[in-house]
Amino acid sequence: MKRRRATALSDTQCAAAWQTASLLLGYPDEELLARRPLLRRAVAALPPGVAAPLTRFLDHLDATPLPELAADYVATFDHRKRCCLYLTYYAYGDTRKRGMALLRFKHAYTAAGLILDDGELPDHLAAVLEFAATGDADAGLRLLSEHRAGLELLRLALTDAASPWRDVLDAVSATLPPLTGRHHDAVARLAAEGPPEEEVGLAPFGGDPFLSVVHPDQSGA
C-alpha cells in the first residue's frame, strides 16, 4: 500500500499509533490514566517520528492533575472552533453538504461491520482513528486523507495555541503520506476563509459532542 511506502510503518504499527492517538484524543478520565502503562508499551514499538510526540503527551498526562487535564480539554476542543475534532466541519461547516459527508463515514463503518453509538457524529477524529485501527485500515486511511486539510489545520491551530494535544496530531500526521501541494493550498484556503456558514440541523446524524466506535458484540445486540 502507498501508506506503508510513504511512512515506513507496518500495518501493526499503524494500528497501534491510530488506536493510541484515538484514546489520547478522548476526554481525559480515570480510565485513560489507568491505560498509560499499556499505551507506553504500544508507543515503545513505534518509529521515533511517531513515538516521540506520543511519549511527550504521555509525559504530560503523568505530570498534570486530572481536573486540569479535563478543563484544558474542554477549553481547547469545545470552545475553539479552530480546534474542532469533527473532520467534516472544516470542509463543510454547518451546511447541508456536511450531512452527505457524514453519511460517507457512517457507510464506511457499516461496511466494516461496525456500528456507532446512538446520538454520535461519525466524523470525530477519535472515532475515525479507532475505525482505522480496528475496523478497516484502508477505508480509515481514505477518510483521513480526504480530510487531510482539516487535520492539518487542526494540527496548526493546536501548535499555535501551544496545546499539549499538538503532539498527538503530530503523531497522526506522521502516519499519513506527505502533504502535497494540493493539500497545502487547501489548508491555506481554510485558514484564510474558514468553514462555510449555513446553520442547519444534523439530528439524523447524531449530535453528541463526543463519540466512539463500538463493535457489534459490545452493543448489546
Side-chain angles (χ1 to χ4, degrees):
M1 281 180 59
K2 184 185 294 185
R3 163 171 53 92
R4 301 187 190 103
R5 293 196 299 270
T7 64
L9 268 69
S10 68
D11 288 349
T12 300
Q13 288 173 327
C14 275
W18 288 337
Q19 183 69 80
T20 299
S22 172
L23 292 169
L24 296 179
L25 287 171
Y27 183 81
D29 55 18
E30 293 288 355
E31 185 176 359
L32 174 62
L33 297 186
R35 286 173 165 167
R36 284 175 295 176
L38 176 62
L39 294 176
R40 284 192 180 276
R41 289 195 294 273
V43 168
L46 299 175
V50 181
L54 291 175
T55 298
R56 285 195 297 271
F57 188 81
L58 287 168
D59 291 344
H60 175 70
L61 287 187
D62 288 344
T64 310
L66 183 55
E68 184 177 332
L69 286 169
D72 191 17
Y73 185 93
V74 171
T76 299
F77 296 115
D78 292 351
H79 296 164
R80 295 177 181 172
K81 285 188 175 182
R82 286 174 57 86
C83 297
C84 178
L85 287 170
Y86 294 95
L87 295 182
T88 62
Y89 172 77
Y90 293 96
Y92 303 106
D94 290 324
T95 69
R96 290 172 178 81
K97 290 184 179 180
R98 187 179 176 199
M100 296 305 297
L102 289 169
L103 278 177
R104 178 166 170 75
F105 283 83
K106 294 191 75 171
H107 289 163
Y109 296 166
T110 300
L114 302 175
I115 59 174
L116 200 66
D117 284 344
D118 290 340
E120 296 174 346
L121 292 174
D123 62 334
H124 191 286
L125 180 54
V128 182
L129 289 168
E130 184 176 349
F131 168 65
T134 65
D136 185 328
D138 291 338
L141 177 62
R142 282 195 295 272
L143 291 172
L144 292 168
S145 298
E146 287 172 7
H147 294 274
R148 187 66 186 277
L151 271 173
E152 184 65 10
L153 191 62
L154 170 60
R155 188 183 72 82
L156 293 174
L158 292 172
T159 299
D160 288 345
S163 168
W165 279 275
R166 68 185 182 273
D167 287 324
V168 183
L169 267 292
D170 283 347
V172 171
S173 182
T175 69
L176 303 175
L179 288 168
T180 65
R182 175 173 59 86
H183 288 132
H184 284 296
D185 291 344
V187 172
R189 185 167 58 251
L190 274 176
E193 301 175 1
E197 293 185 2
E198 174 190 327
E199 293 295 332
V200 297
L202 296 173
F205 309 99
D208 191 277
F210 180 73
L211 62 143
S212 62
V213 175
V214 297
H215 292 269
D217 60 356
Q218 296 174 329
S219 65

